[in-house]
């Protein structure tokens, strides 16, 4: 599973911020929508990583110990 690294997220977010001042109203709406989707993906990936870590920890325990 390949996740978006924090540095990649920050770089993409900075690029979007750089574009925002020169956007027309329609482009701004699209950029904000893109940013919201990027944030949702990043947060979902964090949740997936937490789930994966939890399941791997459970798999490492012998059956019946918790």
């Amino acid at each position: 599973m390949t996740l978006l690294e924090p540095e990649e997220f920050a770089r993409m977010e900075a690029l979007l911020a750089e574009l925002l001042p020169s956007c027309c109203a329609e482009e701004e709406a699209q950029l904000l929508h893109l940013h919201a989707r990027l944030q949702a993906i990043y947060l979902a990936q964090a949740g997936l990583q937490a789930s994966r870590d939890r399941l791997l920890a459970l798999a490492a325990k012998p059956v019946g110990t918790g």
Side-chain angles (χ1 to χ4, degrees), residues 19-60:
L19 291 171
L20 185 61
S22 62
C23 288
C24 68
E26 183 179 329
E27 292 168 334
E28 181 175 322
Q30 292 173 349
L31 187 138
L32 294 174
H33 182 72
L34 180 60
H35 183 249
R37 291 183 69 184
L38 177 65
Q39 287 180 313
I41 290 167
Y42 189 66
L43 292 172
Q45 286 182 349
L48 288 174
Q49 185 64 45
S51 291
R52 182 179 189 277
D53 293 345
R54 170 78 176 142
L55 291 175
L56 287 174
L58 289 172

